[in-house]
Amino acid sequence: MTGITNRKILLIGWDAADWKIIHPLLDAGKMPNLEALVNRGVMGNLSTLYPELSPMLWTSIATGKRPFNHGIHGFTEPDPDGRGVRPVTNLSRTTKALWNILSQNNIKCNVIGWWPSHPAEPINGVMVSNHYQRIAGKIDELWPMMKGVVHPVRITDNLARLRVHPQQLDGGHIQPFVPDISGIDQEKDHRLETLAKIISETLTIRNAALAIMHHEPWRFTGVYFDGIDHFGHAFMRYNPPRQPWVDEKDFETYSHVVESGYILHDIILGALLEEAGKDTTVIIVSDHGFHSDHLRPRHIPHEPAGPAAQHRPYGIFIMAGPGIKQDELIHGASLLDICPTVLTLLGLPVGQDMDGKPLVQAFETPPAVSAIPSWDAVPGEAGMHDPAKRIDPVEAQEAIQQLVALGYIEKPPENKQQAIDQCVRELNYNLARAYMEASRHAEAAALLEELLAQWPDQYRFGIHLVSCLQALDRPAEARRVLEALLARKQKNALEALPKLKELREKHGDKTFEDMTEKERQEIQALQTAAAQNPYAMEYLMGRLLFSEGRLKEALDHLLNAAKADAGQPGLYAQIGEVYLRQRRFFDANENFGKALELDPDHAPSHLGRCRSLLGLKSNFEAVDEALESIGLNYHSPVSHFLLAVALHRLGRLEEAIKALQVAVQQNPNFPAAYRRMAFIYRRGLKDPDKAAECRRLATGAVQRIRQAGRLTPADLRPHPGASGEEQGATGGGISSPVEGPVDRRDIITIVSGLPRSGTSMLMQMLAAGGLAPYADGERTADEDNPKGYFEHEKVKALARDTTWLVEARGFCVKIVSPLLKFLPPGLACRVIFIDRNLDEVVRSQRVMIERRGTVGAKLTDDRLKENFKKQGETAKIYLARNHMPVLYLGYDLCITDPAGAARQVNAFLGGGLDEAAMAAAVDAGLKRQKITV
């Protein structure tokens, strides 16, 4: 395809957009801009990933990688300083996004509102982060732009003026959504405020996108709108047809909101298309759909990210432009495929470490797809944040816990620590579910076991663990977990019922809406504890008995579950699985059909019908059902495997091999797929060498599965640890100029470094040389520091209190490196930063924690070293940016040449210290954690 590298691409994200809403609007002529785009391009479902949480999914769209390969695992993350929880940032992302790859190839990019994109990255072009459109305060109050929202900063003021505040909207904006505004008592009903906020944020993103596309050069623009998702969560319950549990008056008032939200996005689409020009390739995607029919949940689960229960597993995909097929359907697209497809459109190679594939079936002439091992390995400026700024928040929190355990940093207040613990819990839970979705059940089980041990009342952890253990063919362990869950649930229910009765009597006639937030939470918690869900219990027990091979008993429980709730597609799919195991293929096919009557897009039931038809030797029909399943969810190794089985039976051997190759590409630990390939090569294609290679791969897969069963949660973090590089083994140097002599009475002499890097030794040297330490004696000498720690309790609280610094003038004070960033700019000080081999630091910390009997970081040594390395880099950057004079001193220099080290320190501090006494204070025998080569 000629001229492909000169393409312009407009990628539009509509969070939660769903064909079930769009198709009727297209038929009614209410979305003309989208209809015109569909008619001149391709369209189809876009299968999502599990869990269906937007920050994880939009990062997968931008990277082509699953969550455990890109590092974003939820809506929030611990602040790396250990002070609380913050909204998720792109600093946790561990791989290059699409715009970084394009920047690296000198392609101008605009990225507006992508989630998460804060703080804005210094890309080759413009980035406006997902905090840009957020409303703050009333219209007559200051509405400052948050720091880090816009790159480059030169356009910040212009973009600030383009924001739309809800109070700027008038009746013309609101009335298409709610025709009868006058009938709403806005003193009691605040839903109009919610509506106005969503509209204004959507218009703000529109304004920024149009202005940037018009005024800034670009070849790629990615713009993300969250409005459809927000309209859905707030108002989908009122969307036609009215559900029995929805108040009729509310339905009449708000039944137009969702439809009008889609129409608004179509109007914005028209403006974007006009600005982009006809020769631009346009792609519209959504990360998931949104239940709008009888599958809408009446109640939202009372758990973090509970609203995700409203999401449907299929989003939308549309692509139109030069060289793209017209008016055709695309099957099997996944959100993992978007990044590889954009790279292919621009003539760039696809990373072999990406989990997605280019959608070449959308091209009139399929392009040649090139590949490289990984874009992450390609050097050069890519518009990413400084590596010292990027950090895994969970591992950073573990590193902070290491410092708390060592006694160098105070423990966060209980309420903040609780928030941090819960945040880390949810991140690991989401990570476990991402592993499950990729059929990596051993990794998921290890995380879930740890979560359940720490949070035994969180039944969701146990339920997912039971599923993992069943998938790993460990039924005895699954039964033990499930029985413990049921017993605990029954005990908690018995305890909660009288408390709930007492609480209801206390509140009397007070309605749920009249209660305080605390009262509502208390009621909800007790209701959850007291709830007896016969469907869930029967279903879980049926699945467990099925995994144990007790098929008749399993079927009894599952049929009881159907009596309790006959509207669950997954239930009939499970009944079908029992019949399959009993080789009752007609009954299995019938129940998978019932599931598909409830939800025609239920991919597991299409897969179940495929297996039923294989049992009935209906191989042609089995191929059709396998393709239906793959069309809904391309990234399903089992679907490709069963397609291969059917094709193999039909004698279509080359096609079968291709399907098996996809299966093992998606899941390298798939012995059955390798064995079938070996059989086809040996018996059908007469290629003994390839057959032998496939048998070898099958053996390797078995070994990897067995090994995975022995992994611990600390081994399962989604990205590699430190390289083991040594820091500061020898020598020293001044990083910032020291201008003339100073009076030490007017400054603070700060000794810093990681705990166990030699800071106490350096404090001893300074004290021996005549510089008094700022210490309170609370922490006395012990086996780890026989000569004392020279610390002050106030230092631990530096993150929240700097008033004591005035007391430290004229003294030397020990402040561990992670706390340096809390020093106020302009502080009169000099910093001596001691570096030590990180292997020795970590080993020394481990020994010290063991002696203290405290709990340190649950990280491997390599990962702990990587986090400490980043902490050190962050501290050094802070010192340099604030022009604080620093002497970097090597620990080994102090040990091997204490006189030389004393000379450097004395000169740095302006002289006057007793260098001989300083050198004599060094006891080389205290270096007990040596690394030998």
Side-chain angles (χ1 to χ4, degrees):
M1 189 176 295
T2 59
I4 187 170
T5 56
N6 294 321
R7 279 184 187 267
K8 289 181 71 175
I9 297 176
L10 173 61
L11 173 61
I12 301 172
W14 283 356
D15 198 309
D18 196 304
W19 287 119
K20 285 191 174 183
I21 298 287
I22 292 173
H23 280 311
L25 294 175
L26 292 176
D27 293 341
K30 294 182 177 181
M31 297 185 76
N33 296 303
L34 187 65
E35 183 175 15
L37 193 68
V38 167
N39 289 339
R40 65 181 180 91
V42 297
M43 60 174 285
N45 281 331
L46 194 69
S47 64
T48 189
L49 301 175
Y50 182 73
E52 296 156 6
L53 304 179
S54 290
M56 302 169 70
L57 301 179
W58 287 103
T59 305
S60 288
I61 290 171
T63 63
K65 297 182 179 182
R66 293 179 180 273
F68 47 78
N69 288 325
H70 66 53
I72 301 295
H73 299 151
F75 291 96
T76 59
E77 61 190 18
D79 190 307
D81 298 326
R83 294 183 293 171
V85 172
R86 67 186 184 190
V88 65
T89 69
N90 58 20
L91 299 177
S92 301
R93 200 183 71 233
T94 57
T95 188
K96 290 175 182 174
L98 179 58
W99 42 85
N100 303 122
I101 297 171
L102 301 186
S103 292
Q104 196 164 14
N105 286 275
N106 201 31
I107 294 175
K108 286 283 187 181
C109 302
N110 298 328
V111 180
I112 300 105
W114 209 269
W115 194 11
S117 57
H118 188 83
E121 294 179 88
I123 62 172
N124 180 19
V126 174
M127 178 173 279
V128 180
S129 90
N130 57 297
H131 288 326
Y132 165 66
Q133 72 272 26
R134 303 301 176 219
I135 309 302
K138 298 179 180 179
I139 195 169
D140 56 349
E141 298 174 353
L142 290 176
W143 189 6
M145 289 277 279
M146 183 186 296
K147 184 179 179 182
V149 165
V150 178
H151 166 81
V153 293
R154 61 177 170 79
I155 62 173
T156 300
D157 291 342
N158 290 336
L159 288 175
R161 288 190 287 270
L162 294 178
R163 294 175 298 172
V164 179
H165 195 280
Q167 290 176 264
Q168 293 176 283
L169 304 181
D170 56 28
H173 292 98
I174 304 296
Q175 206 147 16
F177 294 81
V178 184
D180 186 19
I181 299 176
S182 60
I184 298 174
D185 182 355
Q186 296 188 47
E187 291 295 322
K188 294 182 178 179
D189 186 348
H190 298 285
R191 282 171 284 191
L192 278 185
E193 296 175 17
T194 299
L195 176 61
K197 181 175 181 291
I198 300 170
I199 295 171
S200 63
E201 290 181 345
T202 302
L203 295 177
T204 295
I205 291 293
R206 175 205 64 181
N207 292 349
L210 290 173
I212 292 168
M213 290 169 66
H214 185 79
H215 292 289
E216 299 290 334
W218 62 276
R219 282 183 54 209
F220 170 82
T221 289
V223 55
Y224 164 80
F225 295 90
D226 58 15
I228 289 176
D229 182 71
H230 291 185
F231 286 130
H233 284 297
F235 298 99
M236 186 63 81
R237 63 189 291 113
Y238 312 115
N239 197 58
R242 184 175 74 86
Q243 301 299 294
W245 37 269
V246 174
D247 178 79
E248 192 167 346
K249 174 63 176 173
D250 284 345
F251 175 76
E252 291 174 358
T253 303
Y254 296 109
S255 60
H256 300 281
V257 171
V258 171
E259 176 181 298
S260 296
Y262 275 84
I263 293 172
L264 172 62
H265 281 72
D266 187 73
I267 294 169
I268 294 172
L269 173 62
L272 292 171
L273 293 177
E274 183 177 356
E275 183 62 50
K278 292 184 178 180
D279 292 333
T280 298
T281 299
V282 180
I283 304 172
I284 302 179
V285 298
S286 65
D287 57 334
H288 52 73
F290 207 102
H291 286 300
S292 58
D293 49 21
H294 61 286
L295 295 176
R296 278 177 282 185
R298 179 175 182 178
H299 300 293
I300 303 302
H302 184 58
E303 62 182 55
Q310 298 174 283
H311 296 165
R312 208 168 72 90
Y314 303 107
I316 69 169
F317 171 73
I318 303 160
M319 183 163 69
I324 303 302
K325 292 177 180 178
Q326 296 190 20
D327 198 21
E328 288 204 18
L329 282 172
I330 292 293
H331 296 286
S334 160
L335 53 79
L336 292 168
D337 302 331
I338 303 304
C339 178
T341 299
V342 172
L343 292 175
T344 300
L345 282 165
L346 292 170
L348 293 171
V350 175
Q352 292 173 340
D353 59 342
M354 291 180 178
D355 298 303
K357 65 186 188 312
L359 296 172
V360 295
Q361 66 270 39
F363 292 72
E364 290 177 341
T365 302
V369 178
S370 58
I372 60 173
S374 174
W375 278 104
D376 291 331
V378 177
E381 177 55 46
M384 301 181 75
H385 291 300
D386 189 289
K389 198 173 184 181
R390 299 195 304 271
I391 191 165
D392 181 317
V394 175
E395 295 193 356
Q397 180 56 34
E398 291 285 357
I400 292 292
Q401 173 60 32
Q402 182 90 342
L403 302 183
V404 172
L406 290 164
Y408 289 95
I409 293 178
E410 66 174 3
K411 185 178 180 180
E414 285 302 320
N415 57 341
K416 286 189 177 181
Q417 187 60 52
Q418 183 180 16
I420 292 169
D421 291 344
Q422 290 176 352
C423 176
V424 171
R425 176 191 74 189
E426 296 306 311
L427 292 175
N428 283 327
Y429 176 50
N430 295 338
L431 176 58
R433 290 189 288 169
Y435 277 129
M436 289 179 68
E437 201 266 346
S439 298
R440 293 173 59 170
H441 294 99
E443 292 98 321
L447 286 167
L448 290 165
E449 284 170 348
E450 184 180 80
L451 288 168
L452 186 61
Q454 189 174 359
W455 308 86
D457 286 330
Q458 292 285 332
Y459 302 106
R460 55 201 171 115
F461 301 157
I463 290 169
H464 282 87
L465 178 57
V466 169
S467 296
C468 283
L469 294 172
Q470 290 172 331
L472 292 167
D473 196 24
R474 291 154 62 180
E477 294 174 68
R479 170 170 285 279
R480 187 163 58 250
V481 172
L482 181 55
E483 288 178 345
L485 283 177
L486 295 176
R488 193 173 190 90
K489 177 70 174 173
Q490 187 174 21
K491 175 178 177 291
N492 288 348
L494 291 172
E495 293 174 352
L497 282 170
K499 294 179 183 177
L500 186 59
K501 181 180 179 182
E502 180 184 340
L503 203 57
R504 283 173 173 162
E505 290 173 353
K506 173 184 173 183
H507 292 308
D509 296 331
K510 187 186 289 187
T511 66
F512 196 70
E513 288 72 20
D514 293 333
M515 295 180 188
T516 65
E517 181 63 24
K518 184 178 180 181
E519 289 171 338
R520 284 197 292 268
Q521 289 178 354
E522 193 175 8
I523 286 278
Q524 286 176 328
L526 287 172
Q527 286 175 333
T528 300
Q532 293 292 335
N533 187 339
Y535 168 81
M537 296 303 132
E538 294 284 357
Y539 177 71
L540 284 172
M541 187 55 71
R543 285 196 60 186
L544 176 62
L545 290 163
F546 171 73
S547 70
E548 294 175 336
R550 298 160 63 178
L551 302 182
K552 185 179 183 306
E553 295 169 84
L555 192 57
D556 290 340
H557 282 279
L558 292 171
L559 293 175
N560 285 338
K563 294 175 184 176
D565 187 347
Q568 299 292 334
L571 169 63
Y572 291 106
Q574 185 63 55
I575 293 172
E577 292 290 337
V578 177
Y579 284 131
L580 276 176
R581 186 77 64 86
Q582 293 177 329
R583 303 186 66 80
R584 295 167 60 179
F585 299 119
F586 286 105
D587 292 327
N589 199 40
E590 180 183 1
N591 276 275
F592 289 124
K594 288 181 181 179
L596 291 170
E597 287 174 9
L598 290 168
D599 184 2
D601 292 336
H602 194 247
S605 293
H606 283 292
L607 191 59
R609 292 195 81 171
C610 171
R611 295 164 64 200
S612 303
L613 292 164
L614 286 172
L616 295 168
K617 302 296 189 289
S618 300
N619 297 315
F620 285 104
E621 292 85 351
V623 167
D624 292 338
E625 289 295 338
L627 290 173
E628 285 287 343
S629 177
I630 291 168
L632 290 166
N633 181 15
Y634 181 84
H635 294 271
S636 168
V638 175
S639 297
H640 293 282
F641 174 74
L642 293 178
L643 173 62
V645 172
L647 292 169
H648 183 193
R649 289 182 179 181
L650 294 171
R652 295 156 63 177
L653 302 185
E654 295 290 352
E655 293 173 82
I657 288 291
K658 288 180 181 178
L660 290 167
Q661 287 172 339
V662 174
V664 297
Q665 179 186 15
Q666 293 182 357
N667 180 13
N669 300 332
F670 202 157
Y674 289 118
R675 288 173 186 142
R676 184 166 286 269
M677 271 199 285
F679 182 82
I680 294 173
Y681 278 126
R682 181 170 60 89
R683 297 285 294 272
L685 298 176
K686 309 301 182 184
D687 191 333
D689 292 337
K690 286 186 177 178
E693 174 65 12
C694 289
R695 286 195 296 272
R696 185 187 66 79
L697 291 170
T699 301
V702 171
Q703 292 173 345
R704 287 193 297 274
I705 291 170
R706 289 172 177 166
Q707 183 181 12
R710 296 193 298 269
L711 292 177
T712 64
D715 297 319
L716 302 175
R717 303 297 181 196
H719 46 271
S723 62
E725 292 180 330
E726 297 182 0
Q727 292 186 2
T730 59
I734 298 173
S735 73
S736 301
V738 181
E739 300 177 356
V742 296
D743 188 336
R744 283 197 297 273
R745 292 172 298 182
D746 297 328
I747 66 168
I748 305 172
T749 300
I750 296 172
V751 171
S752 191
L754 289 169
R756 312 304 295 167
S757 63
T759 51
S760 296
M761 175 187 67
L762 192 53
M763 290 291 288
Q764 295 162 21
M765 292 175 66
L766 292 170
L771 184 57
Y774 180 75
D776 56 13
E778 287 290 323
R779 196 172 186 183
T780 57
D782 56 23
E783 188 176 352
D784 294 298
N785 266 343
K787 296 190 176 183
Y789 285 88
F790 299 90
E791 294 175 0
H792 202 297
E793 284 293 305
K794 291 181 179 180
V795 175
K796 297 180 184 179
L798 183 61
R800 59 181 174 82
D801 179 19
T802 60
T803 58
W804 58 268
L805 286 169
V806 67
E807 303 171 7
R809 287 179 185 169
F811 296 89
C812 58
V813 58
K814 184 165 72 172
I815 302 176
V816 291
S817 56
L819 293 178
L820 289 177
K821 65 176 72 175
F822 301 114
L823 293 174
L827 180 71
C829 67
R830 291 200 173 176
V831 181
I832 307 172
F833 196 108
I834 189 162
D835 278 318
R836 185 180 182 184
N837 178 286
L838 285 177
D839 290 293
E840 296 178 358
V841 169
V842 170
R843 186 177 299 180
S844 180
Q845 289 184 4
R846 296 287 194 202
V847 171
M848 183 175 176
I849 287 173
E850 185 177 344
R851 287 198 185 109
R852 287 168 59 89
T854 53
V855 179
K858 299 173 184 177
L859 297 177
T860 64
D861 286 356
D862 279 347
R863 290 203 170 99
L864 197 56
K865 286 188 294 183
E866 179 67 17
N867 275 273
F868 283 155
K869 180 181 177 182
K870 288 182 178 180
Q871 286 180 2
E873 291 169 348
T874 299
K876 292 172 183 178
I877 290 170
Y878 179 84
L879 294 172
R881 286 177 178 170
N882 287 277
H883 307 291
M884 293 181 176
V886 188
L887 170 67
Y888 290 110
L889 193 67
Y891 175 83
D892 281 359
L893 178 69
C894 295
I895 295 296
T896 59
D897 184 11
R903 278 195 303 275
Q904 286 193 35
V905 171
N906 191 29
F908 175 67
L909 295 178
L913 297 177
D914 187 337
E915 293 180 10
M918 291 172 67
V922 176
D923 182 357
L926 291 179
K927 182 179 181 180
R928 291 166 286 188
Q929 308 303 329
K930 299 179 181 178
I931 301 296
T932 58
V933 180

